[in-house]
Amino acid sequence: MERYAELQAGFLWERARTELAGLPHGRGLNIAYEAVDRHCHEGRGAQVAIRWHPKRDDPIDLSFDDLARGSSRFANALAELGHVGGHGVATLAGRTPELYLAALGTLKSGGVFTPLFAAFGPDPVAMRLDLGRIAVLVTTANHYRRKVLSKRSELPFLRHVLLIDGGAGEFDDPTVLDLEPAMAAAADRFEIGPTDPEDRALLHFTSGTTGTPKGVIHVHEAVVAHAATGRIVLDFGPDDTFWCTADPGWVTGTSYGIVSPLVNGVRSIVDEAEFDAERWYRILQDERVDVFYTAPTALRMLQRAGADLAATFDLSSLRLVASVGEPLDPESLAWAQDVFDVPVLDTWWQTETGGIMIANYLTEPVRPGSMGRPLPGITAGLLKLDADGAVELDERGEPIEIEAAGDIGELALESGWPSMFRGYLDQEDRYQRSFAGRWYRTGDLARFDEDGYWWFVGRNDDLIKSAGHLIGPFEVESALTEHPAVVEAGVIGKPDPTIGAVIKAFVVLTGDYEPTDELRRKLIGHARKRLGPAVAPREIDFVTDLPHTRSGKIMRRLLKARELGLDEGDLSTLEAPIAGQSSGEETVGRSR
Ligand code: PRX
């Protein structure tokens, strides 16, 4: 592997682009072609692409040929139903082969793929199907019955529902079909139409602090970054077995759970089951996994299961472990390095960046606690913020960059890399607001040291990071206020050593309800039903009122300061020290 300095000096995105095949006859660039069909055309079709571990049964291998044929069948089945070009296809399903075939088949057919997290409850699902104008939903009968059916009339864009596990008969609805016969009836060859690199390919939803989630748009060109970052950071080689533990419902599970390993021709593990320490160690051992990409939360959960358990497995096949999603604290890093006996590399990126932007590298010394250094081809900058958390501008109207090591500012990336998002769906203003001059503003606070290593400080907004996933307080607050007992709710992330933050709600009750433990349990149950367990609050406090700014916004930062026992006048030790100091708006209201 080349050293960082050499890589940086010789790197050009244009050159990275030439490593890809492009569609035959100059018909453009398509992610699915690079991920599967190309390998078949180049004689690697029989190689194992995905080794799928079902929850209970023995693993099943899917070759590149299998993926090529299956995804073609899916694309043809879509065409048969009249979906040709630009159509939105979502999955709401566990990690089963159909999800992967649907993703690749959608991309082949010129559609836009949206993976939804199967643990979402009906509210987040309906909102995303609606916002994404999803025309086809691939799901199971159970998910459909529990989460979509009662809202179907509010989803005018949804034209077809394809059930992975069959059972469409139950719904007596001509738009609800069984997937398997539809695929079986379709041809297993599909010619991918001309695909412009700027054509939309993926739509991922990420949380916002207020209002609706943001639909983050990625185009086919993103595959250039998926391919290159897999090689540069995850060190993919042709004989590797790779395991990315993330669900495709989150961006990591798509960029690095589907696209990057397939494009690089490595064998990928897909595990249908949820976290289980012993199962994970067994998979790492039995599958002789070389490269393991996971989250700090997962590493901490493995740590909690004890070093004794780890010691009973042979993990000697591993060459590198990488993590993403939240800060990898030095203690977890040291533990993982010890147990796996390989370098453990923190990587930083976001839904909006589409791929890894800042990372540690196998060839370079790791600084515990640092996210590492920008990828070749990526320029990171640190923007100076004023007391309101806004970017400070110089007299020419350009953002002021922080030059001094150690100072805190907002992490920004010079725009123009291939996997940069191309928009927030239907929110052009919001998209424009996330840029300042030539910089994309990440919303993260950070600093760098003398040697150019970057250190994460916190978020510059109220978004909550729990178990590696961004959660918008507004969605949780809305679900709570749907309950007749609740007048108003304010939601914060409360620091937690294992999952980063647990979701805590402060709730104001209507006069008719008493603040009892039973009501607390009921509200948590209500939220879990609406939102799903990953997003619902774990703790609820009853308060008489919530603190507001004069403009009426709930001051979540203040709620958090009080919760953590910090001085309310000095919020400097909150996650977002700069923006948190003062919103410039007086507090009104009072909380108990
Ligand atoms: O705050 C940063 C945190 O996760 C945010 C992005 O979340 P999401 O769009 O859901 O994508 C997660 C997976 C790519 C970032 O703005 N984050 C991500 N990686 C790190 C991190 N925080 C600290 N250290 C990291 N390595």
Side-chain angles (χ1 to χ4, degrees):
M1 254 194 128
E2 285 177 88
R3 293 295 307 256
Y4 181 67
E6 293 158 25
L7 263 178
Q8 260 199 326
F11 188 88
L12 285 174
W13 285 115
E14 296 79 58
R15 202 169 309 144
R17 169 79 166 75
T18 63
E19 310 254 338
L20 299 172
L23 284 173
H25 316 298
R27 282 152 65 100
L29 182 70
N30 185 293
I31 296 176
Y33 183 82
E34 302 300 326
V36 289
D37 291 16
R38 174 192 187 174
H39 297 294
C40 306
H41 292 172
E42 294 178 2
R44 295 185 293 276
Q47 276 180 29
V48 175
I50 288 179
R51 186 158 165 86
W52 178 55
H53 282 252
K55 272 187 192 145
R56 276 171 215 96
D57 300 323
D58 291 338
I60 290 170
D61 283 334
L62 294 154
S63 66
F64 284 101
D65 277 339
D66 293 332
L67 290 186
R69 283 192 292 262
S71 55
S72 288
R73 284 187 191 278
F74 187 84
N76 281 319
L78 285 182
E80 191 62 32
L81 294 170
H83 302 282
V84 282
H87 44 287
V89 178
T91 51
L92 176 68
R95 290 177 294 279
T96 59
E98 291 81 2
L99 189 163
Y100 295 78
L101 297 178
L104 295 162
T106 301
L107 295 171
K108 279 187 172 180
S109 76
V112 182
F113 177 66
T114 297
L116 296 176
F117 187 40
F120 276 153
D123 287 0
V125 168
M127 181 172 277
R128 285 158 178 79
L129 291 176
D130 184 46
L131 289 171
R133 291 192 281 283
I134 299 300
V136 180
L137 174 67
V138 179
T139 188
T140 62
N142 195 22
H143 283 305
Y144 182 65
R145 189 185 315 108
R146 282 177 36 228
K147 301 179 184 173
V148 186
L149 189 57
S150 66
K151 309 229 178 198
R152 184 72 198 266
S153 60
E154 297 158 35
L155 298 168
F157 304 110
L158 186 58
R159 286 175 48 206
H160 292 103
V161 176
L162 301 173
L163 299 180
I164 291 170
D165 51 349
E170 168 192 343
F171 301 101
D172 192 22
D173 174 346
T175 69
V176 180
L177 303 161
D178 291 338
L179 178 64
E180 211 215 304
M183 298 252 298
D188 65 2
R189 294 182 73 85
F190 181 87
E191 191 180 352
I192 301 175
T195 313
D196 190 286
E198 288 300 315
D199 282 353
R200 292 182 180 190
L202 300 164
L203 175 69
H204 286 286
F205 283 97
T206 184
S207 299
T209 48
T210 56
T212 53
K214 298 177 278 188
V216 177
I217 300 164
H218 286 286
V219 297
H220 283 271
E221 176 82 1
V223 68
V224 178
H226 296 146
T229 53
R231 282 196 304 275
I232 295 169
V233 182
L234 301 172
D235 190 37
F236 286 152
D239 300 322
D240 278 344
T241 297
F242 170 63
W243 186 15
C244 168
T245 60
D247 188 272
W250 309 108
V251 69
T252 310
T254 300
S255 293
Y256 296 96
I258 306 179
V259 183
S260 181
L262 289 178
V263 171
N264 283 297
V266 307
R267 190 175 88 125
S268 247
I269 304 296
V270 171
D271 184 19
E272 188 187 6
E274 293 312 316
F275 176 85
D276 174 280
E278 195 172 336
R279 180 180 172 103
W280 278 31
Y281 284 129
R282 186 168 315 272
I283 291 177
L284 288 171
Q285 166 186 279
D286 294 353
E287 296 294 355
R288 311 284 308 149
V289 172
D290 298 274
V291 181
F292 183 44
Y293 197 22
T294 190
T297 300
L299 292 175
R300 286 191 288 267
M301 293 197 305
L302 287 175
Q303 186 176 4
R304 281 219 309 228
D308 291 353
L309 179 66
T312 57
F313 293 92
D314 170 9
L315 305 173
S316 62
S317 62
L318 278 169
R319 183 169 82 244
L320 86 90
V321 171
S323 87
V324 65
E326 10 158 6
L328 179 61
D329 57 290
E331 201 225 319
S332 304
L333 175 101
W335 175 86
Q337 248 157 10
D338 198 38
V339 162
F340 296 116
D341 200 20
V342 293
V344 177
L345 309 177
D346 188 12
T347 68
W348 178 96
W349 57 289
Q350 309 180 302
T351 307
E352 285 85 344
T353 72
I356 303 171
M357 296 283 112
I358 296 180
N360 289 277
Y361 307 89
L362 261 191
T363 52
E364 302 293 316
V366 168
R367 295 212 170 154
S370 161
M371 325 191 269
R373 287 181 284 178
L375 267 275
I378 298 298
T379 304
L382 202 56
L383 305 185
K384 198 164 174 207
L385 299 177
D386 64 19
D388 293 335
V391 170
E392 271 193 48
L393 303 176
D394 64 15
E395 55 290 349
R396 288 168 304 144
E398 293 294 320
I400 301 176
E401 284 175 55
I402 292 176
E403 316 263 330
D407 288 357
I408 294 172
E410 182 168 339
L411 171 59
L413 303 167
E414 198 173 298
S415 45
W417 68 95
S419 62
M420 186 178 93
F421 70 136
R422 299 298 200 268
Y424 287 126
L425 192 67
D426 301 328
Q427 300 186 54
E428 183 57 23
D429 274 8
R430 214 164 175 178
Y431 183 62
Q432 294 304 338
R433 268 187 278 125
S434 55
F435 293 88
R438 66 183 203 279
W439 298 104
Y440 159 64
R441 298 180 58 178
T442 69
D444 279 3
L445 301 174
R447 62 190 164 81
F448 54 78
D449 64 22
E450 279 81 14
D451 301 309
Y453 279 75
W454 288 73
W455 301 73
F456 179 80
V457 173
R459 291 279 312 166
N460 189 18
D461 54 31
D462 293 329
L463 290 179
I464 300 164
K465 202 83 219 231
S466 180
H469 306 311
L470 271 186
I471 293 168
F474 184 76
E475 248 186 311
V476 184
E477 289 160 4
S478 306
L480 286 168
T481 48
E482 269 176 33
H483 192 280
V486 178
V487 178
E488 195 179 33
V491 165
I492 62 161
K494 185 175 157 188
D496 175 273
T498 305
I499 62 168
V502 295
I503 299 182
K504 168 151 193 171
F506 297 85
V507 164
V508 181
L509 296 177
T510 59
D512 310 337
Y513 288 83
E514 287 299 315
T516 61
D517 280 344
E518 197 200 339
L519 181 60
R520 184 177 285 119
R521 274 194 300 277
K522 274 197 184 141
L523 290 179
I524 290 177
H526 162 83
R528 289 176 72 96
K529 220 165 117 207
R530 308 301 318 161
L531 301 163
V535 188
R538 287 226 197 135
E539 291 181 24
I540 292 185
D541 272 9
F542 296 116
V543 292
T544 50
D545 51 21
L546 292 171
H548 291 101
T549 62
R550 284 222 178 275
S551 58
K553 293 194 205 95
I554 297 172
M555 294 188 72
R556 303 187 186 98
R557 277 178 223 289
L558 190 54
L559 286 173
K560 190 161 173 182
R562 288 175 182 165
E563 175 67 24
L564 302 183
L566 300 172
D567 177 358
E568 290 172 18
D570 170 20
L571 307 186
S572 58
T573 40
L574 278 182
E575 249 178 0
I578 295 172
Q581 256 153 28
S582 148
S583 68
E585 293 177 282
E586 245 177 274
T587 313
V588 290
R590 176 178 51 83
S591 99
R592 219 165 39 189

PDB file of all heavy atoms in Angstrom, residues 53 58 72 89 92 134 145 160 239-240 291 331 353 356 429 505 534 542 544 551:
ATOM      1  N   HIS A  53     -25.769 -15.051   5.766  1.00  0.00           N
ATOM      2  CA  HIS A  53     -26.092 -15.832   6.959  1.00  0.00           C
ATOM      3  C   HIS A  53     -27.528 -15.546   7.365  1.00  0.00           C
ATOM      4  O   HIS A  53     -27.815 -14.489   7.921  1.00  0.00           O
ATOM      5  CB  HIS A  53     -25.164 -15.453   8.120  1.00  0.00           C
ATOM      6  CG  HIS A  53     -23.810 -16.064   8.017  1.00  0.00           C
ATOM      7  ND1 HIS A  53     -23.392 -17.081   8.828  1.00  0.00           N
ATOM      8  CD2 HIS A  53     -22.786 -15.810   7.186  1.00  0.00           C
ATOM      9  CE1 HIS A  53     -22.167 -17.433   8.504  1.00  0.00           C
ATOM     10  NE2 HIS A  53     -21.760 -16.677   7.513  1.00  0.00           N
ATOM     11  N   ASP A  58     -28.137 -22.532   7.647  1.00  0.00           N
ATOM     12  CA  ASP A  58     -26.756 -22.445   7.179  1.00  0.00           C
ATOM     13  C   ASP A  58     -26.593 -21.320   6.162  1.00  0.00           C
ATOM     14  O   ASP A  58     -27.544 -20.955   5.470  1.00  0.00           O
ATOM     15  CB  ASP A  58     -26.359 -23.774   6.513  1.00  0.00           C
ATOM     16  CG  ASP A  58     -26.271 -24.883   7.555  1.00  0.00           C
ATOM     17  OD1 ASP A  58     -26.104 -24.550   8.747  1.00  0.00           O
ATOM     18  OD2 ASP A  58     -26.392 -26.062   7.171  1.00  0.00           O
ATOM     19  N   SER A  72     -31.403  -8.524 -12.611  1.00  0.00           N
ATOM     20  CA  SER A  72     -32.042  -8.328 -13.922  1.00  0.00           C
ATOM     21  C   SER A  72     -33.514  -8.731 -13.869  1.00  0.00           C
ATOM     22  O   SER A  72     -34.383  -8.061 -14.423  1.00  0.00           O
ATOM     23  CB  SER A  72     -31.323  -9.144 -15.002  1.00  0.00           C
ATOM     24  OG  SER A  72     -30.080  -8.547 -15.282  1.00  0.00           O
ATOM     25  N   VAL A  89     -37.974   3.279  -5.564  1.00  0.00           N
ATOM     26  CA  VAL A  89     -38.229   1.947  -5.017  1.00  0.00           C
ATOM     27  C   VAL A  89     -37.634   1.902  -3.612  1.00  0.00           C
ATOM     28  O   VAL A  89     -36.466   2.238  -3.427  1.00  0.00           O
ATOM     29  CB  VAL A  89     -37.570   0.847  -5.886  1.00  0.00           C
ATOM     30  CG1 VAL A  89     -37.791  -0.534  -5.271  1.00  0.00           C
ATOM     31  CG2 VAL A  89     -38.102   0.896  -7.315  1.00  0.00           C
ATOM     32  N   LEU A  92     -38.320  -2.211   2.823  1.00  0.00           N
ATOM     33  CA  LEU A  92     -38.541  -2.194   4.259  1.00  0.00           C
ATOM     34  C   LEU A  92     -38.449  -3.666   4.651  1.00  0.00           C
ATOM     35  O   LEU A  92     -39.426  -4.407   4.600  1.00  0.00           O
ATOM     36  CB  LEU A  92     -39.928  -1.624   4.572  1.00  0.00           C
ATOM     37  CG  LEU A  92     -40.347  -1.628   6.050  1.00  0.00           C
ATOM     38  CD1 LEU A  92     -39.504  -0.647   6.860  1.00  0.00           C
ATOM     39  CD2 LEU A  92     -41.823  -1.283   6.192  1.00  0.00           C
ATOM     40  N   ILE A 134     -42.292   7.307  -3.181  1.00  0.00           N
ATOM     41  CA  ILE A 134     -41.929   5.931  -3.479  1.00  0.00           C
ATOM     42  C   ILE A 134     -43.065   5.254  -4.250  1.00  0.00           C
ATOM     43  O   ILE A 134     -44.215   5.256  -3.807  1.00  0.00           O
ATOM     44  CB  ILE A 134     -41.627   5.158  -2.179  1.00  0.00           C
ATOM     45  CG1 ILE A 134     -40.449   5.806  -1.428  1.00  0.00           C
ATOM     46  CG2 ILE A 134     -41.378   3.679  -2.470  1.00  0.00           C
ATOM     47  CD1 ILE A 134     -39.146   5.856  -2.179  1.00  0.00           C
ATOM     48  N   ARG A 145     -48.504  -5.286   6.805  1.00  0.00           N
ATOM     49  CA  ARG A 145     -49.725  -5.299   7.622  1.00  0.00           C
ATOM     50  C   ARG A 145     -49.593  -4.358   8.813  1.00  0.00           C
ATOM     51  O   ARG A 145     -50.476  -3.566   9.113  1.00  0.00           O
ATOM     52  CB  ARG A 145     -49.973  -6.733   8.114  1.00  0.00           C
ATOM     53  CG  ARG A 145     -51.287  -6.962   8.796  1.00  0.00           C
ATOM     54  CD  ARG A 145     -51.412  -8.366   9.367  1.00  0.00           C
ATOM     55  NE  ARG A 145     -50.975  -9.425   8.488  1.00  0.00           N
ATOM     56  CZ  ARG A 145     -49.835 -10.140   8.660  1.00  0.00           C
ATOM     57  NH1 ARG A 145     -49.023  -9.874   9.658  1.00  0.00           N
ATOM     58  NH2 ARG A 145     -49.513 -11.106   7.822  1.00  0.00           N
ATOM     59  N   HIS A 160     -47.161   0.010  -6.214  1.00  0.00           N
ATOM     60  CA  HIS A 160     -47.080  -1.443  -6.030  1.00  0.00           C
ATOM     61  C   HIS A 160     -46.328  -1.802  -4.764  1.00  0.00           C
ATOM     62  O   HIS A 160     -45.363  -1.139  -4.399  1.00  0.00           O
ATOM     63  CB  HIS A 160     -46.375  -2.103  -7.224  1.00  0.00           C
ATOM     64  CG  HIS A 160     -47.175  -2.034  -8.484  1.00  0.00           C
ATOM     65  ND1 HIS A 160     -46.890  -1.149  -9.491  1.00  0.00           N
ATOM     66  CD2 HIS A 160     -48.280  -2.736  -8.868  1.00  0.00           C
ATOM     67  CE1 HIS A 160     -47.781  -1.297 -10.463  1.00  0.00           C
ATOM     68  NE2 HIS A 160     -48.640  -2.240 -10.105  1.00  0.00           N
ATOM     69  N   ASP A 239      -8.869 -11.163  -2.968  1.00  0.00           N
ATOM     70  CA  ASP A 239      -9.196 -12.406  -2.249  1.00  0.00           C
ATOM     71  C   ASP A 239      -9.795 -12.157  -0.872  1.00  0.00           C
ATOM     72  O   ASP A 239      -9.909 -13.079  -0.067  1.00  0.00           O
ATOM     73  CB  ASP A 239      -7.937 -13.275  -2.099  1.00  0.00           C
ATOM     74  CG  ASP A 239      -7.368 -13.626  -3.460  1.00  0.00           C
ATOM     75  OD1 ASP A 239      -8.181 -13.866  -4.376  1.00  0.00           O
ATOM     76  OD2 ASP A 239      -6.124 -13.611  -3.612  1.00  0.00           O
ATOM     77  N   ASP A 240     -10.173 -10.931  -0.616  1.00  0.00           N
ATOM     78  CA  ASP A 240     -10.633 -10.591   0.732  1.00  0.00           C
ATOM     79  C   ASP A 240     -12.059 -11.053   1.024  1.00  0.00           C
ATOM     80  O   ASP A 240     -12.911 -11.077   0.136  1.00  0.00           O
ATOM     81  CB  ASP A 240     -10.592  -9.069   0.935  1.00  0.00           C
ATOM     82  CG  ASP A 240      -9.195  -8.601   1.299  1.00  0.00           C
ATOM     83  OD1 ASP A 240      -8.365  -9.463   1.679  1.00  0.00           O
ATOM     84  OD2 ASP A 240      -8.941  -7.393   1.208  1.00  0.00           O
ATOM     85  N   VAL A 291     -11.356  -8.099   6.635  1.00  0.00           N
ATOM     86  CA  VAL A 291     -11.601  -6.684   6.930  1.00  0.00           C
ATOM     87  C   VAL A 291     -12.990  -6.551   7.544  1.00  0.00           C
ATOM     88  O   VAL A 291     -13.975  -7.054   6.978  1.00  0.00           O
ATOM     89  CB  VAL A 291     -11.501  -5.831   5.641  1.00  0.00           C
ATOM     90  CG1 VAL A 291     -11.740  -4.367   5.949  1.00  0.00           C
ATOM     91  CG2 VAL A 291     -10.140  -6.029   4.975  1.00  0.00           C
ATOM     92  N   GLU A 331     -10.241   4.377  24.705  1.00  0.00           N
ATOM     93  CA  GLU A 331     -10.340   3.147  25.487  1.00  0.00           C
ATOM     94  C   GLU A 331     -10.902   1.990  24.648  1.00  0.00           C
ATOM     95  O   GLU A 331     -10.360   0.880  24.662  1.00  0.00           O
ATOM     96  CB  GLU A 331     -11.233   3.400  26.697  1.00  0.00           C
ATOM     97  CG  GLU A 331     -10.996   2.404  27.808  1.00  0.00           C
ATOM     98  CD  GLU A 331     -12.291   1.900  28.387  1.00  0.00           C
ATOM     99  OE1 GLU A 331     -13.225   2.706  28.562  1.00  0.00           O
ATOM    100  OE2 GLU A 331     -12.374   0.687  28.636  1.00  0.00           O
ATOM    101  N   THR A 353     -22.115  12.917   2.608  1.00  0.00           N
ATOM    102  CA  THR A 353     -20.827  12.779   1.902  1.00  0.00           C
ATOM    103  C   THR A 353     -20.784  11.495   1.086  1.00  0.00           C
ATOM    104  O   THR A 353     -19.901  11.332   0.249  1.00  0.00           O
ATOM    105  CB  THR A 353     -19.631  12.804   2.862  1.00  0.00           C
ATOM    106  OG1 THR A 353     -19.581  11.577   3.608  1.00  0.00           O
ATOM    107  CG2 THR A 353     -19.689  13.997   3.808  1.00  0.00           C
ATOM    108  N   ILE A 356     -16.478   7.604   2.763  1.00  0.00           N
ATOM    109  CA  ILE A 356     -15.503   8.001   3.795  1.00  0.00           C
ATOM    110  C   ILE A 356     -14.751   9.254   3.334  1.00  0.00           C
ATOM    111  O   ILE A 356     -14.288   9.317   2.203  1.00  0.00           O
ATOM    112  CB  ILE A 356     -14.506   6.859   4.058  1.00  0.00           C
ATOM    113  CG1 ILE A 356     -15.250   5.591   4.479  1.00  0.00           C
ATOM    114  CG2 ILE A 356     -13.488   7.275   5.118  1.00  0.00           C
ATOM    115  CD1 ILE A 356     -14.367   4.345   4.559  1.00  0.00           C
ATOM    116  N   ASP A 429     -33.552  25.148  -0.747  1.00  0.00           N
ATOM    117  CA  ASP A 429     -33.041  26.176   0.177  1.00  0.00           C
ATOM    118  C   ASP A 429     -32.133  25.578   1.221  1.00  0.00           C
ATOM    119  O   ASP A 429     -31.059  26.093   1.508  1.00  0.00           O
ATOM    120  CB  ASP A 429     -34.210  26.796   0.956  1.00  0.00           C
ATOM    121  CG  ASP A 429     -34.810  27.917   0.182  1.00  0.00           C
ATOM    122  OD1 ASP A 429     -34.403  28.062  -0.988  1.00  0.00           O
ATOM    123  OD2 ASP A 429     -35.684  28.607   0.745  1.00  0.00           O
ATOM    124  N   ALA A 505     -36.959  12.195  26.949  1.00  0.00           N
ATOM    125  CA  ALA A 505     -37.992  13.189  26.622  1.00  0.00           C
ATOM    126  C   ALA A 505     -38.452  13.903  27.883  1.00  0.00           C
ATOM    127  O   ALA A 505     -38.570  13.287  28.954  1.00  0.00           O
ATOM    128  CB  ALA A 505     -39.176  12.497  25.961  1.00  0.00           C
ATOM    129  N   ALA A 534     -35.725   1.745  17.979  1.00  0.00           N
ATOM    130  CA  ALA A 534     -34.435   2.445  17.862  1.00  0.00           C
ATOM    131  C   ALA A 534     -34.587   3.945  18.061  1.00  0.00           C
ATOM    132  O   ALA A 534     -33.639   4.633  18.418  1.00  0.00           O
ATOM    133  CB  ALA A 534     -33.821   2.163  16.490  1.00  0.00           C
ATOM    134  N   PHE A 542     -41.562  14.095  33.568  1.00  0.00           N
ATOM    135  CA  PHE A 542     -42.702  14.999  33.455  1.00  0.00           C
ATOM    136  C   PHE A 542     -42.294  16.374  33.976  1.00  0.00           C
ATOM    137  O   PHE A 542     -41.675  16.478  35.043  1.00  0.00           O
ATOM    138  CB  PHE A 542     -43.883  14.457  34.255  1.00  0.00           C
ATOM    139  CG  PHE A 542     -44.392  13.143  33.711  1.00  0.00           C
ATOM    140  CD1 PHE A 542     -44.314  11.974  34.464  1.00  0.00           C
ATOM    141  CD2 PHE A 542     -44.938  13.078  32.433  1.00  0.00           C
ATOM    142  CE1 PHE A 542     -44.772  10.767  33.950  1.00  0.00           C
ATOM    143  CE2 PHE A 542     -45.403  11.877  31.916  1.00  0.00           C
ATOM    144  CZ  PHE A 542     -45.319  10.714  32.678  1.00  0.00           C
ATOM    145  N   THR A 544     -43.501  20.806  34.197  1.00  0.00           N
ATOM    146  CA  THR A 544     -44.678  21.672  34.094  1.00  0.00           C
ATOM    147  C   THR A 544     -44.644  22.549  32.846  1.00  0.00           C
ATOM    148  O   THR A 544     -45.674  22.935  32.311  1.00  0.00           O
ATOM    149  CB  THR A 544     -44.815  22.581  35.327  1.00  0.00           C
ATOM    150  OG1 THR A 544     -43.552  23.200  35.546  1.00  0.00           O
ATOM    151  CG2 THR A 544     -45.235  21.804  36.552  1.00  0.00           C
ATOM    152  N   SER A 551     -38.746  33.195  19.964  1.00  0.00           N
ATOM    153  CA  SER A 551     -39.408  32.811  18.708  1.00  0.00           C
ATOM    154  C   SER A 551     -40.146  31.486  18.845  1.00  0.00           C
ATOM    155  O   SER A 551     -40.686  30.971  17.865  1.00  0.00           O
ATOM    156  CB  SER A 551     -38.387  32.746  17.578  1.00  0.00           C
ATOM    157  OG  SER A 551     -37.374  31.821  17.896  1.00  0.00           O
TER     158      SER A 551
END
